[in-house]
Amino acid sequence: MKNKIIKPIFFLGMLGVVLATSCTKKVDDAYLNPNSPVIVPIETILPGVIGGFTAFFSSNGTGYGVQADGILLGRYIQYWGTQSNGELYGQMGFPVGTASDNTGGLWAAVYYGHGGNVNRIIEWGAEQQKWDYVGVGNAIRAWGWLELTNCYGDAILKEAFNTSLTQFKYDTQEEFYDSCRVVCHRAISYLNRTDGAVSQANLAIGDAFFYNGDVTKWKKFVYGILARSFINLSGKNNFISKGYADSAIKYANLSLATNADNASVKVTGGLTSAVTNYFGPFRGNIGAIRQSAYIADLMSGNNTQAFNGIPDPRRYYMLRENLNGTFKGFTPWLGASGVGASDYPRNFWGTTLPTSTAVPSPDSSRYLYQNTSPWPMMTASEIQFIIAEAAYIKGDKPLALTAYANGISLNFDMITTTYPQNVPTVFAITPANKTAYLTAVVPGVATSLTLSQIMLQKYIALYGWGVQQTWTDMRKYHYTDIDPASGNQVYANFIPPSGLNLISTNNGNLVYRCRPRYNSEYLYNIPELTRLGALNTDYNTYKTWFAIP
Amino acid sequence: MRKFTNRLIAILFFMGPLLAQAQAPVTGRVLDEKGQPVVGATVLVKGAKSGTKTDANGNFTIDAKAGDVLVISSVNFGSQQTKVKSGGNVTVNMVAKDGTMDEVVVTAMDIKKAPRELGYAIQTIKGSEVAETQRENFINGLQGRVAGLSVTPTTGTAGASSGIILRGFNTLSGTNQPLFIIDGIIVDNTTFNSNSQGGSGVGLASDGNNRNIDNTNRIADLNPNDIESYTILKGPEATALYGSQASSGAIVITTKRAKLTGKKIAVTYDNNFRMQKLTRFADVNNEYSAGISNNTPFTSTTATGSFTSFGPKWPAGTKLYDNVNNFYETGFSQTHNLGLEFGIKNLGFRASGQYLNNSGVVPNNFYKKYSGRISNTTKIGKYITLTPSVAYSYADNKKPTKGTSSYLMSLYQWPANNDIQRYQDDYGAKLTLFNANPNADFDNPVWSTKNNIMGDITRRWIATMGIDIKPFEWLNVAGRFGYDTYKTDGYIMIHPQSFYLTAGTLGTLENYYTTYKGYNHTITASAKKEWKGFSGRLLVGTMWQDFETQQYAVVGNGIADSVVGGKIYKYGNIVNSWNPTDSNLTAPGSRVRLQRAASKGLPNLKIFREIAYFGEVSLGYKNVVFLTYSQRFEKASPIPPKNNNYNYPGASMSLIVSDIFPILKKGEIIDYFKLRASLANTARLNDPYTNQRVFVPNQSSSTTPGGTFTYSFTNNNPDLVPERQSTYEVGTEIRFFNGRITLDAAYYNTLNTKQISQGFRASYATTAVLNTTNAASLRNEGVELTLNLTPVKRKNFNWNINFNFSHMWSKVLTLPESIGPLNDYYNSDTYISNVRGGLIRGFSTGTITGSTYQRNPAGQILINAGTGLPLFNGGNQLIADRNPDFTLGTLNTFRYKNWTLSFLWDLKVGGDIYNGTDQVLTRIGKSARTANRNNAIIVDGVLNDGLQNTNNPTKNTIVIIPNFLSTYYTTMPDEEFIEKM
C-alpha cells in the first residue's frame, strides 16, 4: 500500500530533478538563431558590399548606394529632369516634413549596407591575415566617409558603428575629411602588404565585380579618393597655401592613369533586379527622366558661352535624340512644359514615342542605361580633370592644359570601348571626329585655357554616373561663381531655379546639402538634429564646409 | 481597416441541445435554508467519482436507483447525504456555512480555490454561454462578458483571426495576447507571421508584411462545445505562477469531463445554421466620371488616374452598376455537434465531434473544420486519478489575397459605369479596363477572388495527461503533461496577369508548411494544514515549456511559361487555372527559400524553452483573512544567457469583512462583503532571436558559390533584459439581498518598465536599421465593475442582468531620449497610409498620429493666401486617442421554465476612430463629402499673410470651387478623418 503512494511520488520527484538539470542547458542552447549564420567567410561578404556602392540588394533592404540618390540629385545639377512641372528636386527642394527616405540612399549604404559588413571584413580579415581584404575594407570605408559628408555635411563619425548607442552626436565635415584621409593611408598600408594570407586569387572571389582582386588598382582608387578630398577644397582660400593643390596633383598622379584602371561596379545581368543595372530597362527606374536642356545645349554647341557651335560626338552615347534627330532637354523645374512635340527627347532607353516611359523592344539602350552597363565610381578621365583644376588654380597652366586634353581624350576612349552598344554606326565616335572635337575645344596655348572649360568638360565626362562629384564641384563654385578669366560663370549659362521656381521653403537660397536619411535620423535622433537645425525647412540650404571659402 | 465586421447582420438559428437518455433518471432540487435554489452544488451517487451539478434553479437529474445514497456538496454549504426513495423526487435543504454561495474556481496551475481566498479579480464564464453564441471563431463569443476584456476580429472573412486584449496594452512591441491554458496545459494561439526577417525567421519566403494577409489564430481550432468553463485571470497577480508567457493575462479553460456514473450512455446533438449578409457600406458618391483632377475627363490609356472620380458628371443615361452589392454574397455557416458520455465504475469517458462549414461573404472564401476529442477520467486505487485527453482538428481555409488594398476599397474605387461581373474572356484571361497590358491594369475584384488566392489546411493534435496523487488528506501531488502539435500546409498564388506583378514575372506561387510542436508540463506538490483557526497551504512546483515551430517555404515565379495574345500557356497548353499546391509549377531558377532551407535543405526553426520553479504560501485565519505570497524563478531562452535567470514575487490579501464584523449582515441587506488587495511583479520576454544580428542572403552579382551575405536589419543586443511589469490592485465584492445584487469592483495600476521595443529604429549609425532594446516605460490604470442583478426571481420566471463596466487610462512615461518631445514612437505594423498608432510621452497608449492643419496660436486654420487652400503639417502629430471613455457589456438572461433567452449589448463610449475609408474615398472623389463639389466655398481660416499670429489675422475670403480644384480633397490632412465619438 505504502509503495503505491511513495513510488509514484518518488518517480515524479526524480523525474523533476532529471528534467530540471537537462532543461537548464536546453534553455541556453535554444538562445541562438539556428536559421542564419552569425559568421560567414569574408569572401562572401565583399560582393554584397561592392553592390552597395551603387544599389545594395539584400533580403534585408535594397537600393542603398549612389544610383537611386543620383536620379534625384541629378536634377539639382541639371543633368536631367522629370516630365512633371514644378517637380520638387527640380526646384532644389527636398521632402520637408514627410517621411521620405529620398536622397538617403548613400546614408543607408555607408552606415548599414557597408557599415557592419565592412567592419567584419576588416576585423575578420585581420584575424585571418587577409591584409588585402583589410585594405579593401578600409578603402571602401574611406570612400564612404568622403561621399557621405559631401552629400549630407555634418554626420556621425566618432560615434559611428557603436552598436549599443541609441542616439548619436554629429561631427563636422572637416573631421570627416581628416578621417577619410587617415583611413585612406591605412588602406594603402594594408594593400601594400604581401605577407600572411594575401592572395590575388582569393581577393578576386569577393572582388570579382570591381577590380577582380587587383590590389594595385585598389591602391589607385584610394589615391583617387585622396585626390578628390583635396580638389574638393579648391574653393577654399587656403587651397594653395595649405598645399591642398599640390596634394591633389600628387595623389592624382598616383591614381587611375588609364581606362583599364577605371573603378566600376559590374553586374552579371539576368532576370532579377539584383543583378541588373539600376538605370537599365529591366529595372525601369528612369523611364520618366529626360536629359536637361543644359546638357543638351552644352553638347550640341548651343551654349552661347561654352563650346559654342561645337557639337560633341559623345552626345549620341550619353543623351537621346528627339523626333527631329536633334538634342533638346527639359528644364528640371518645368519638366515637359514648353517643350515642343518634336523637341521632346526620348527617354534614355530610346523608346520611339518620346513621351513614353516604357522600355522599347528590342532593347536599344546605350551608355549607362543598359541592363548590364558597368557603373563607374571613378575614372582616369576624372583624375585628369582633378589635375587640370588644381594646376590651373595653382597657376601651372601648361600642366592644366595637358591634363584637360587627357581628360577629354580618356573619356572619349572609355565611351567607345566600354559603351559602344546600340549607337548607330553613322553617329559613332571615330578617331577623326574625336580629334576634330579635341582640336576645337582644347586651346592651342595654355594661357587661353579657362577654369570654365575644365569644369564643363568634367561635367560632361561625369555625366550620368558622377552626379555626387559634380554636385560637389558645382557647390564649391556656388553654382554661378564667375570664372575671372572668361568673365562668365564657371558653369557657363547655368541658371539655377529662382523666384517661384525655387522651392519656397529654401527662403531664396540654393541647395547645398541633403538632409540625413529620414528613417535613420528623423524618427529617433531628434535632439542632435535640433542642435544642427536639421529640422528647419531650409536645412538643405546650409552651406557645407567645402563650399565656405 | 476593419470594414465589414461592424456591418454584419447575423441571423441566428439556434436549436437547443437534445438530450437523449437511456433510462429514467432521478430528479431533485437543492435549496438553501431560505428556500432559494443552491446553484452548482455537486450531486454524486455515493461510491461513484463523477456526478452532476445543480442548475440555476437548484435542479438536478442523476441516474440512481432506489436505495442509493446521494452526496450533495457545495463549498459554502458543506456536504449532506440523502437516500433515494423509489420513484420519488428528492428535495434537499442545505444549511449555509457562511451564507455565501460561492463556487470553486480554477486558478493558476489548475489549483481550485474558494473565491473568498482570492486577493485578486477573477471572472468565470460558462463554456456553454460562449458556445451558444455559435461564432465560427469562438473567441468572439467572449466579447462583452468580462470586464476589461476586448476582442478584435481582424476581418469579416471566414477563417479570420481575432485578437484578445485584457486590461489594455502593456507592451510596446511584444504580444499583448493572453496565454491559453487547457486543463493545466499551455496551448498555442499563434497567428501565422508573414515576415521572415529576410529569410532568417519563421515566415514566408516572400517575406511579406502582416497588413495584407490574415491567418486564423490557432486557438480557433478548439471546439467550444468541449469547454466547461473559462476563468479569466486578468492581472499578473493571478498569472505570476504561469510566468512571463502570461504577463498579458491568461484564459484558463477547463474542459468537460464525463459526469455520468454507472453503465450509462448519454448522447447529445445540436446544430446551428447562420446566414450572413453585408448591409452597411460607406456613403459613396457615384455621380462623377473618371478623371484625374479638376473636372477634366479621363482620356489616358493607362490605369493611372482611372480610379479617381474627378471628371465631369456622368452623362445622363449612362448605365451605372451597383458593384459593391453585386460583389458580396450571402455567407452561410452550419455547425453540427455530437457528444457522447459514458462511464463504467472508475472510468468515465467523454467523446465529442464537431463539423463546421462556413462560406464567407467574399466569393471563393470558406472555412471548414472537423474536430473530435476523447477525454477520460480513471481512478486507480484510492489515491491516484488520471485524466488523459486527446483531441484532433482539421481546418481548411481558403481565401482571396487582399493585395495592397481590400476588396471593399477596390469596389468603392471601381468606375461605376463598368460591370465588375464582366471580368474574363473566353480563355479565362483577365479583361482590362483601360490598359491593353493586363499587368498594368488594376485587378477586377471578382477576377481577383478567383485568381489571386491563398489557402491553408491545418491538422492539429492536442494530447493532455493529468496525474493527481493524493496519498494523504493534506498532500496532493499533481502533474500536467501536454503535447500540442499541428501542421499547416498553405499556398499563396498570384495570377500571371495580376496588377501586382510585372508581365515578366508570369505569376508567383508560394508553398509553405508550418509545423508546431509544443510540449509542456507542470508538476506541483501542495500541502495544507490547519491548526487553531489557522489554515496554511504550501505549494512548490516546476514548469517546463519547449515549443518549436518549423517553417518551410518556397516562392517562385513563372506559373505560366508565356502569355501570348492574352492567352496563357503552360507546357504548351492554354491554361486558366493551376493546382496551387504544386510547387513544381514555378520556374526552378526563380525559387527563393528560407535561409535554413537554402543552406541545409531544412526548415527554419523557432524554438522557445523555459524552465521555471515556483512556490506559494497561503495563510488563512478563521476563514476570514487570507494572505498569499508567491515567488517564481524562471530561465527562458529568448533572453541572452547572462540575463536569462530572473525571478519575481507576488502577494495578495483577502478580508471577508462581513464575517469579521457579522453586524454588517444584520438587516438582511448585505450578505457578503470582501476586501482584497494584491501586489505582483512579472516579466515579459522578446520574441526568440529578435536581439540577434545574423547574416542574410545578399543577391548582388557574385561568383561565390552558396551566394553572398550581408547583415540583417536587426542589431545585436547582448544586454537585453526582460521587461518588468508591476501591478497593484485593490477591490471588493459585495452581495446584497440574498445575492440578488452582487457587485465586484477593482482598481488596478500597472507600471511597465524596461519595455522591450522590437523593431526600434535607432540611427543607422548602429550599423543596423532595427533594434531590440529595453526602451520605455508606461503606466496603465483602470477601474472594473461587474454588477449582477436579478430583478425577477420566481419559480418559473427569472430575469438576470449582468453589467461589465471598464474604464482604463494609461500614460507613456518614458521613451528613448532620441525621440523628440512631441515625436512619436510607433510599431510599423500599425501604419495605415500615413496614420499610425504612435506613442508620445505624457499621452495615453492609444494615441493616433498623423498630419494636421497648420494653425495659429488661436487655433485658426492657416490658409495659403495664394490658393485659398489650408496649409498642413506633414508627418505625424497627435490627432486622436483610441481609448474609449468606458466600455459596458450588458447581458440579459430571461428564463421561463426550461426556455432561456439571452442577449448581449456591448457598448463602447468615447474613443476616436480614424476613418481611413472616408479618407481614401475623399482622395479619389468618391466620398459623400465630395458630392457638392460645384458649390463655391470659402475654407474657414485665416490667411497665412504675416498677420496670422497677430491679434488681427486676415480672415480668409478666397472663394474656391472644389470641382475645379480637386487638391481641396486630395490634400486634406489625416486630422480631418478622425471621428470623435
Side-chain angles (χ1 to χ4, degrees):
Chain A
M1 183 82 253
K2 244 193 173 161
N3 268 350
K4 257 192 172 171
I5 307 162
I6 300 301
K7 267 187 180 167
I9 293 180
F10 181 73
F11 172 73
L12 277 181
M14 284 310 292
L15 188 71
V17 172
V18 171
L19 288 174
T21 39
S22 69
C23 291
T24 303
K25 187 178 178 308
K26 284 184 87 176
V27 170
D28 285 340
D29 287 348
Y31 171 67
L32 288 175
N33 186 329
N35 308 312
S36 306
V38 290
I39 296 174
V40 294
I42 55 175
E43 290 80 2
T44 66
I45 304 177
L46 186 55
V49 165
I50 286 170
F53 274 130
T54 47
F56 190 74
F57 210 108
S58 90
S59 296
N60 270 178
T62 62
Y64 318 137
V66 298
Q67 289 182 316
D69 287 2
I71 291 175
L72 301 168
L73 300 177
R75 303 170 204 177
Y76 289 162
I77 58 173
Q78 295 187 22
Y79 266 2
W80 46 64
T82 73
Q83 292 171 313
S84 38
N85 186 359
E87 192 273 327
L88 183 66
Y89 291 87
Q91 297 188 340
M92 287 197 169
F94 74 111
V96 176
T98 59
S100 167
D101 279 337
N102 281 353
T103 72
L106 187 67
W107 185 280
V110 171
Y111 289 114
Y112 171 67
H114 288 171
N117 298 304
V118 167
N119 289 356
R120 290 297 94 80
I121 291 173
I122 293 172
E123 183 188 325
W124 293 342
E127 284 169 17
Q128 297 158 15
Q129 302 195 331
K130 293 170 181 166
W131 309 118
D132 41 2
Y133 273 90
V134 178
V136 166
N138 278 293
I140 295 168
R141 175 59 39 79
W143 173 87
W145 286 154
L146 187 66
E147 295 301 320
L148 184 86
T149 189
N150 286 347
C151 185
Y152 305 102
D154 303 71
I156 301 152
L157 176 68
K158 297 195 197 83
E159 292 182 344
F161 311 134
N162 183 333
T163 55
S164 54
L165 290 178
T166 54
Q167 55 178 330
F168 292 83
K169 294 262 181 309
Y170 280 49
D171 300 294
T172 63
Q173 185 162 74
E174 192 171 5
E175 290 169 299
F176 268 94
Y177 269 66
D178 287 345
S179 278
C180 164
R181 290 174 194 145
V182 169
V183 180
C184 280
H185 290 295
R186 192 182 301 149
I188 296 287
S189 71
Y190 283 115
L191 291 166
N192 278 333
R193 290 180 70 160
T194 53
D195 59 322
V198 170
S199 147
Q200 171 164 6
N202 188 52
L203 181 59
I205 296 172
D207 182 28
F209 292 86
F210 200 69
Y211 273 144
N212 204 27
D214 189 338
V215 287
T216 312
K217 288 178 182 171
W218 272 104
K219 278 189 273 183
K220 291 180 177 179
F221 178 63
V222 176
Y223 286 124
I225 297 167
L226 281 165
R228 279 181 181 172
S229 81
F230 288 105
I231 199 65
N232 290 350
L233 307 182
S234 70
K236 287 208 156 299
N237 294 330
N238 55 12
F239 179 62
I240 296 169
S241 64
K242 280 270 196 176
Y244 295 158
D246 289 330
S247 294
I249 295 167
K250 174 191 159 187
Y251 290 119
N253 281 327
L254 293 167
S255 184
L256 319 181
T258 67
N259 282 321
D261 293 339
N262 285 354
S264 59
V265 177
K266 298 156 198 88
V267 288
T268 57
L271 290 177
T272 65
S273 294
V275 293
T276 41
N277 175 20
Y278 195 84
F279 276 51
F282 182 88
R283 300 208 57 181
N285 288 318
I286 57 166
I289 297 285
R290 296 292 185 278
Q291 66 218 17
S292 70
Y294 187 71
I295 187 77
D297 291 347
L298 185 66
M299 295 184 81
S300 304
N302 292 333
N303 187 313
T304 55
Q305 295 174 351
F307 318 127
N308 188 246
I310 311 168
D312 190 327
R314 290 173 292 181
R315 68 194 187 284
Y316 284 99
Y317 294 71
M318 296 174 167
L319 310 179
R320 268 290 172 174
E321 308 89 319
N322 50 34
L323 292 175
N324 286 336
T326 62
F327 294 87
K328 299 285 180 187
F330 287 1
T331 304
W333 56 89
L334 295 178
S337 308
V339 180
S342 47
D343 281 347
Y344 203 113
R346 294 193 175 95
N347 67 22
F348 285 116
W349 304 312
T351 304
T352 312
L353 180 69
T355 54
S356 170
T357 60
V359 173
S361 179
D363 184 6
S364 62
S365 51
R366 306 169 187 168
Y367 190 51
L368 300 171
Y369 320 116
Q370 306 169 67
N371 283 330
T372 53
S373 305
W375 193 266
M377 300 303 297
M378 184 187 285
T379 63
S381 163
E382 178 197 344
I383 299 298
Q384 289 301 314
F385 289 113
I386 291 174
I387 296 172
E389 184 186 358
Y392 183 90
I393 293 170
K394 237 184 89 184
D396 189 345
K397 300 282 166 69
L399 176 59
L401 184 67
T402 312
Y404 168 73
N406 283 344
I408 301 167
S409 174
L410 280 164
N411 186 242
F412 268 81
D413 296 347
M414 178 181 87
I415 285 171
T416 48
T417 51
T418 312
Y419 305 102
Q421 301 84 0
N422 295 324
V423 176
T425 319
V426 55
F427 300 124
I429 291 172
T430 60
N433 66 20
K434 175 189 168 188
T435 309
Y437 180 76
L438 277 169
T439 312
V441 300
V442 178
V445 288
T447 47
S448 303
L449 183 66
T450 64
L451 185 60
S452 180
Q453 287 172 320
I454 296 169
M455 297 317 294
L456 286 171
Q457 281 298 335
K458 188 179 180 188
Y459 181 91
I460 295 167
L462 270 59
Y463 187 76
W465 62 270
V467 173
Q468 282 81 359
Q469 184 58 43
T470 300
W471 189 32
T472 301
D473 291 341
M474 295 185 81
R475 282 177 289 167
K476 75 189 182 191
Y477 292 112
H478 311 99
Y479 298 100
T480 55
D481 280 0
I482 302 297
D483 175 4
S486 67
N488 297 325
Q489 287 178 190
V490 174
Y491 291 94
N493 277 333
F494 183 87
I495 304 166
S498 60
L500 283 175
N501 296 319
L502 181 64
I503 193 91
S504 62
T505 49
N506 278 18
N507 295 329
N509 299 311
L510 303 183
V511 64
Y512 274 89
R513 66 173 74 196
C514 294
R515 71 169 177 184
R517 184 177 176 90
Y518 183 87
N519 275 300
S520 169
E521 304 302 301
Y522 280 78
L523 294 171
Y524 302 144
N525 207 11
I526 300 301
E528 191 64 1
L529 294 186
T530 309
R531 180 183 73 79
L532 286 168
L535 297 170
N536 297 340
T537 60
D538 60 352
Y539 182 65
N540 60 330
T541 67
Y542 288 27
K543 281 200 173 70
T544 45
W545 170 74
F546 65 67
I548 299 165
Chain B
M1 282 183 273
R2 299 183 297 275
K3 276 164 298 295
F4 28 78
T5 49
N6 299 333
R7 291 162 191 152
L8 303 180
I9 272 200
I11 301 167
L12 195 85
F13 294 95
F14 174 56
M15 290 173 66
L18 306 168
L19 190 70
Q21 247 171 256
Q23 287 179 14
V26 172
T27 58
R29 196 159 191 223
V30 181
L31 303 169
D32 66 10
E33 63 262 57
K34 292 175 189 126
Q36 296 294 332
V38 175
V39 181
T42 307
V43 184
L44 284 173
V45 177
K46 198 171 184 181
K49 294 153 315 313
S50 52
T52 186
K53 284 194 173 184
T54 55
D55 66 13
N57 309 308
N59 292 324
F60 68 89
T61 305
I62 194 162
D63 292 323
K65 56 184 184 295
D68 278 354
V69 175
L70 297 184
V71 180
I72 297 108
S73 56
S74 175
V75 174
N76 301 301
F77 294 86
S79 165
Q80 204 167 320
Q81 301 191 354
T82 185
K83 206 170 208 173
V84 179
K85 289 164 193 154
S86 64
N89 279 6
V90 182
T91 302
V92 183
N93 287 303
M94 305 202 55
V95 180
K97 284 202 295 195
D98 54 15
T100 59
M101 299 200 286
D102 292 344
E103 290 179 48
V104 175
V105 294
V106 178
T107 65
M109 294 297 145
D110 219 14
I111 301 161
K112 295 175 183 68
K113 286 186 179 177
R116 57 167 42 220
E117 289 182 49
L118 300 177
Y120 43 78
I122 196 163
Q123 233 176 320
T124 303
I125 308 163
K126 277 190 201 154
S128 57
E129 245 183 71
V130 176
E132 280 166 12
T133 65
Q134 305 288 1
R135 310 297 282 271
E136 286 75 24
N137 191 336
F138 72 93
I139 290 306
N140 297 341
L142 290 170
Q143 177 68 38
R145 292 173 201 276
V146 180
L149 176 148
S150 67
V151 180
T152 313
T154 47
T155 72
T157 52
S161 67
S162 288
I164 303 185
I165 305 290
L166 293 171
R167 288 187 171 171
F169 302 105
N170 279 315
T171 180
L172 291 177
S173 59
T175 178
N176 280 294
Q177 297 292 303
L179 186 68
F180 279 85
I181 293 130
I182 300 181
D183 295 336
I185 298 303
I186 296 169
V187 292
D188 183 72
N189 182 33
T190 303
T191 301
F192 181 71
N193 187 341
S194 304
N195 184 344
S196 65
Q197 289 93 37
S200 69
V202 163
L204 294 176
S206 53
D207 203 8
N209 63 41
N210 290 314
R211 281 170 287 189
N212 296 340
I213 289 177
D214 180 46
N215 292 283
T216 312
N217 57 319
R218 290 266 66 103
I219 203 74
D221 293 333
L222 298 191
N223 177 358
N225 289 284
D226 286 335
I227 295 170
E228 177 73 37
S229 70
Y230 302 82
T231 303
I232 316 295
L233 305 176
K234 289 183 262 195
E237 313 79 49
T239 56
L241 288 175
Y242 276 121
S244 45
Q245 303 280 83
S247 46
S248 294
I251 297 186
V252 178
I253 292 173
T254 308
T255 61
K256 288 178 183 163
R257 297 266 163 193
K259 285 187 193 122
L260 298 176
T261 59
K263 294 173 184 172
K264 303 286 160 55
I265 294 176
V267 181
T268 58
Y269 166 77
D270 66 68
N271 59 30
N272 159 54
F273 302 91
R274 214 158 85 100
M275 282 194 290
Q276 211 181 11
K277 192 154 176 58
L278 303 191
T279 55
R280 288 177 60 197
F281 296 100
D283 291 334
V284 176
N285 161 49
N286 263 335
E287 291 173 38
Y288 292 85
S289 66
I292 295 172
S293 62
N294 305 346
N295 204 40
T296 310
F298 176 74
T299 52
S300 169
T301 53
T302 66
T304 316
S306 59
F307 288 80
T308 47
S309 295
F310 289 113
K313 281 200 175 186
W314 292 113
T318 307
K319 177 150 178 55
L320 301 179
Y321 297 87
D322 186 0
N323 285 327
V324 176
N325 271 314
N326 293 344
F327 174 80
Y328 287 104
E329 299 174 345
T330 300
F332 179 73
S333 79
Q334 54 174 317
T335 314
H336 301 269
N337 286 303
L338 191 64
L340 181 68
E341 285 187 20
F342 61 96
I344 317 161
K345 264 198 148 178
N346 286 334
L347 280 173
F349 282 96
R350 182 176 184 280
S352 64
Q354 185 185 47
Y355 168 71
L356 181 155
N357 189 343
N358 177 202
S359 57
V361 290
V362 172
N364 297 310
N365 166 220
F366 68 76
Y367 176 59
K368 274 184 210 165
K369 195 175 92 173
Y370 310 85
S371 68
R373 185 172 190 273
I374 299 177
S375 64
N376 158 254
T377 307
T378 303
K379 193 153 186 181
I380 303 172
K382 274 188 175 171
Y383 309 106
I384 301 172
T385 308
L386 301 178
T387 46
S389 80
V390 60
Y392 173 77
S393 65
Y394 173 95
D396 183 358
N397 190 196
K398 188 179 171 190
K399 58 209 150 191
T401 65
K402 294 200 295 180
T404 51
S405 68
S406 73
Y407 289 104
L408 192 58
M409 236 53 233
S410 305
L411 290 167
Y412 285 144
Q413 293 177 8
W414 205 255
N417 65 340
N418 181 273
D419 181 4
I420 54 157
Q421 298 297 348
R422 268 179 46 74
Y423 57 86
Q424 65 182 10
D425 67 14
D426 298 341
Y427 297 99
K430 175 177 167 180
L431 280 181
T432 62
L433 251 185
F434 297 106
N435 200 317
N437 174 7
N439 292 94
D441 205 70
F442 286 142
D443 289 348
N444 176 314
V446 180
W447 180 88
S448 192
T449 61
K450 291 185 189 304
N451 294 296
N452 300 328
I453 52 173
M454 57 190 282
D456 54 73
I457 291 175
T458 301
R459 297 171 178 87
R460 183 173 192 172
W461 289 94
I462 300 175
T464 68
M465 170 60 97
I467 304 175
D468 286 273
I469 307 168
K470 200 170 162 63
F472 310 109
E473 192 48 41
W474 55 270
L475 178 67
N476 188 28
V477 180
R480 296 286 180 271
F481 305 84
Y483 188 66
D484 174 13
T485 183
Y486 59 78
K487 186 174 184 202
T488 300
D489 290 286
Y491 63 84
I492 300 171
M493 189 175 79
I494 309 292
H495 192 274
Q497 293 181 311
S498 171
F499 178 73
Y500 301 116
L501 303 177
T502 57
T505 313
L506 292 166
T508 62
L509 174 64
E510 172 142 20
N511 296 86
Y512 64 92
Y513 69 78
T514 310
T515 305
Y516 173 82
K517 295 173 182 171
Y519 170 77
N520 70 104
H521 71 239
T522 308
I523 300 167
T524 56
S526 62
K528 55 184 179 184
K529 172 98 181 144
E530 292 190 16
W531 74 100
K532 290 181 182 171
F534 286 94
S535 60
R537 187 209 303 253
L538 172 70
L539 171 103
V540 292
T542 177
M543 181 192 252
W544 167 244
Q545 299 171 57
D546 185 349
F547 305 141
E548 176 176 314
T549 307
Q550 302 177 350
Q551 178 77 33
Y552 192 91
V554 54
V555 64
N557 302 333
I559 59 172
D561 292 334
S562 60
V563 181
V564 180
K567 297 185 186 67
I568 302 162
Y569 291 90
K570 182 75 179 174
Y571 309 132
N573 304 317
I574 296 176
V575 291
N576 53 25
S577 69
W578 292 263
N579 172 12
T581 59
D582 180 7
S583 59
N584 286 321
L585 283 173
T586 57
S590 71
R591 291 176 196 160
V592 174
R593 293 172 179 83
L594 295 176
Q595 220 173 343
R596 198 156 169 266
S599 63
K600 296 176 184 157
L602 296 170
N604 269 11
L605 300 176
K606 184 168 85 174
I607 301 172
F608 173 90
R609 290 183 188 141
E610 182 184 295
I611 177 84
Y613 305 94
F614 49 88
E616 186 185 81
V617 186
S618 305
L619 205 58
Y621 179 66
K622 290 198 166 168
N623 217 22
V624 295
V625 180
F626 300 93
L627 293 170
T628 302
Y629 175 83
S630 67
Q631 186 83 26
R632 183 178 167 106
F633 298 84
E634 241 175 51
K635 180 179 175 71
S637 63
I639 298 287
K642 69 174 180 183
N643 296 331
N644 74 1
N645 278 299
Y646 50 91
N647 67 85
Y648 41 88
S652 69
M653 182 184 69
S654 165
L655 296 175
I656 312 301
V657 180
S658 54
D659 289 355
I660 298 172
F661 306 103
I663 193 163
L664 287 173
K665 293 203 268 194
K666 282 205 168 161
E668 302 205 328
I669 296 171
I670 294 176
D671 312 328
Y672 179 71
F673 177 25
K674 168 179 160 181
L675 288 177
R676 55 171 202 250
S678 64
L679 192 64
N681 283 335
T682 187
R684 187 182 275 109
L685 309 175
N686 56 315
D687 297 331
Y689 323 134
T690 51
N691 63 327
Q692 294 171 35
R693 196 96 205 252
V694 294
F695 282 98
V696 295
N698 187 300
Q699 291 80 17
S700 296
S701 299
S702 79
T703 57
T704 44
T708 135
F709 299 92
T710 45
Y711 269 131
S712 63
F713 278 142
T714 305
N715 197 1
N716 234 0
N717 185 352
D719 302 317
L720 194 73
V721 295
E723 271 182 52
R724 291 301 181 147
Q725 180 169 322
S726 63
T727 300
Y728 69 85
E729 177 182 329
V730 291
T732 183
E733 285 167 55
I734 314 176
R735 302 180 190 192
F736 305 93
F737 307 115
N738 294 323
R740 294 280 283 267
I741 302 174
T742 67
L743 174 72
D744 186 309
Y747 162 79
Y748 62 86
N749 185 319
T750 304
L751 175 66
N752 296 286
T753 55
K754 298 179 185 165
Q755 289 259 298
I756 296 174
S757 170
Q758 296 180 161
F760 176 74
R761 286 179 176 267
S763 170
Y764 292 10
T766 55
T767 74
V769 172
L770 305 174
N771 295 264
T772 297
T773 142
N774 296 100
S777 61
L778 49 93
R779 189 183 290 284
N780 223 337
E781 291 170 82
V783 173
E784 288 165 0
L785 297 173
T786 303
L787 180 66
N788 194 297
L789 304 175
T790 309
V792 182
K793 192 169 184 177
R794 302 237 170 81
K795 187 163 176 260
N796 283 333
F797 184 67
N798 206 7
W799 176 26
N800 182 278
I801 317 175
N802 191 47
F803 295 102
N804 285 305
F805 170 90
S806 166
H807 168 52
M808 288 186 268
W809 62 102
S810 57
K811 195 171 188 178
V812 179
L813 301 177
T814 61
L815 289 174
E817 285 177 8
S818 54
I819 299 175
L822 288 173
N823 289 97
D824 61 335
Y825 167 88
Y826 73 100
N827 188 325
S828 64
D829 267 350
T830 68
Y831 243 115
I832 297 171
S833 174
N834 177 57
V835 176
R836 62 196 185 196
L839 300 183
I840 303 172
R841 269 181 218 94
F843 290 90
S844 91
T845 55
T847 49
I848 299 177
T849 61
S851 60
T852 56
Y853 288 112
Q854 286 186 22
R855 295 171 194 272
N856 66 7
Q860 291 160 306
I861 293 172
L862 303 186
I863 306 291
N864 182 322
T867 62
L869 290 175
L871 295 168
F872 310 112
N873 297 307
N876 293 78
Q877 290 83 35
L878 177 67
I879 55 173
D881 189 341
R882 287 171 283 170
N883 279 341
D885 295 338
F886 66 88
T887 60
L888 180 64
T890 308
L891 177 65
N892 273 282
T893 309
F894 297 93
R895 180 189 58 79
Y896 175 69
K897 288 188 174 166
N898 282 330
W899 293 83
T900 305
L901 170 70
S902 72
F903 50 91
L904 184 133
W905 285 305
D906 187 31
L907 187 69
K908 187 169 157 184
V909 174
D912 303 332
I913 289 175
Y914 162 59
N915 191 340
T917 304
D918 192 35
Q919 183 165 30
V920 174
L921 292 180
T922 302
R923 286 185 179 166
I924 61 171
K926 280 252 178 152
S927 166
R929 73 165 84 205
T930 66
N932 298 319
R933 63 183 75 167
N934 270 311
N935 294 357
I937 56 167
I938 296 169
V939 182
D940 189 24
V942 298
L943 296 182
N944 188 39
D945 56 0
L947 297 173
Q948 67 273 19
N949 294 334
T950 65
N951 288 332
N952 296 307
T954 319
K955 194 155 173 50
N956 177 32
T957 53
I958 302 171
V959 176
I960 58 169
I961 300 172
N963 194 22
F964 300 96
L965 192 63
S966 21
T967 46
Y968 171 70
Y969 297 120
T970 56
T971 61
M972 276 186 181
D974 303 326
E975 176 191 21
E976 185 65 35
F977 300 94
I978 295 297
E979 296 175 1
K980 304 275 179 189
M981 290 291 123

